[in-house]
Amino acid sequence: MYDLDLFEHTDTVNELLARYGVKFGVYKNNVFKEQLFPFDAIPRVIEKQEFDWLERGLKQRVVALNLFLKDIYGEKKIIRDKVVPEEFVYASSGYLAQCEGVRPVKDIYSHISGIDLVQGKNKEWYVLEDNLRVPSGASYPMIARELCRRSSPRTFQNYKLEDNRNYADLLRRTMDNVNVGGHTVILTPGRYNAAYFEHSYLAERTGVHLVNGRELTVEDDKLYFVDYSGKKERVGAVYRRISDEYLDPMNFNPESVIGIPHIYDIYRKGNVALLNAPGNGIADDKGIYYFVPKMVKYYLGEEPILQNAPTYLPFYEEDMRYVLEHFDSLVLKDVAEAGGYGVVFGSSMTAKQKEDFIALLKKEPRRFIAQEVIDFLDIDIMEKGEMVPRKADLRAFVLMADEPLVWKSGLTRFSRNPDSFIVNSSQGGGFKDTWVLSR
């Protein structure tokens, strides 16, 4: 399903994306650099029936993960029943002791979840990882679709697609669902954050204030927005785009200069909603990922619809033996890394690198997972006027409002390197629109 009229406008769309500042930032060697996120006009097309199946699986998975978070910071039944080892929880860098016994508004922990999937050449879908802290990326397909519609309206008259412009409505519904009274705001670290474009774009599209930490203050156990004139107005929900450790210097990292002192104290009392909840990092730890299918069975009594990529935990003796015997055919991932970092392929290592890595693996088995290398389904991109195949993934977005909501779109990222499986924008990848057919 390719439309030549749209292809002819690819350069125009990329020029408009640049003009509108659709960029992402990368910190490397303590230097901040902004770069464009290259857009490819050939859409990823998902049939309605296939997406309906994905939607059911995504809802099931995110509901189970929310129940896990409620349990792990509450009764810890899943640990007592030995479904998840205690060591995997308390040794995780994403576990926050400060969150023990704290229940968010309406018991919703992950309001916005980004679930990364890949499709193998056998057409099977696999979940690669769950992102429940501050998942980003929805703004890119949103604005790309808008600019494509503007550049080639004929294309969107010819195909029956789900309209992805409703993401802002879904997000506003999600934020309003937990608002405890007052304004809703999007909290940004500021202009030099890697995803600042997205923060400002989502604020504009949802009609909420975009604020930084200096514009919010806690008084009398409530949160207030202070405008340019000094006027204070109550805030009931904060979609925060800063990580846990910088959220509140009184409760987390005392050196944070971008957080709001005591915001976590009033959150504990239920006087403000935070989206997503602090402490979610335990659920998207790559070691915990191994147990998500077990969580679905444990909490919901259902068979998981979506499968993980075949994964091994060197923490277990049996899995360690398998990893050592099949090292050259596996991909190894550091559980605390993200953005395509900390990923190494056994087949690409020299003998010395392999020897050193195995020594580290034996010393710190909790630190790594190993996975079978999935032969991704290649999808076409345009490169120098020719169609060429590249590896790609799909970040699907699931929002928890009064019910789970799956956005009928998503961020398709692809590798521009023909020899690479790494598709992340920070690693030089590009993106394309995801068309979900409506019939």
Side-chain angles (χ1 to χ4, degrees), residues 177-188:
N177 180 57
V178 292
N179 190 307
V180 299
H183 288 289
T184 295
V185 300
I186 294 178
L187 173 63
T188 178

Side-chain angles (χ1 to χ4, degrees), residues 168 186 197-210:
I186 294 178
F197 161 75
E198 176 155 291
H199 306 168
S200 57
Y201 185 72
L202 292 178
E204 177 187 341
R205 293 297 302 272
T206 55
V208 305
H209 293 296
L210 179 68

Side-chain angles (χ1 to χ4, degrees), residues 247-258:
L247 180 63
D248 181 347
M250 310 305 292
N251 284 278
F252 301 110
N253 185 343
E255 296 182 2
S256 172
V257 295
I258 58 175

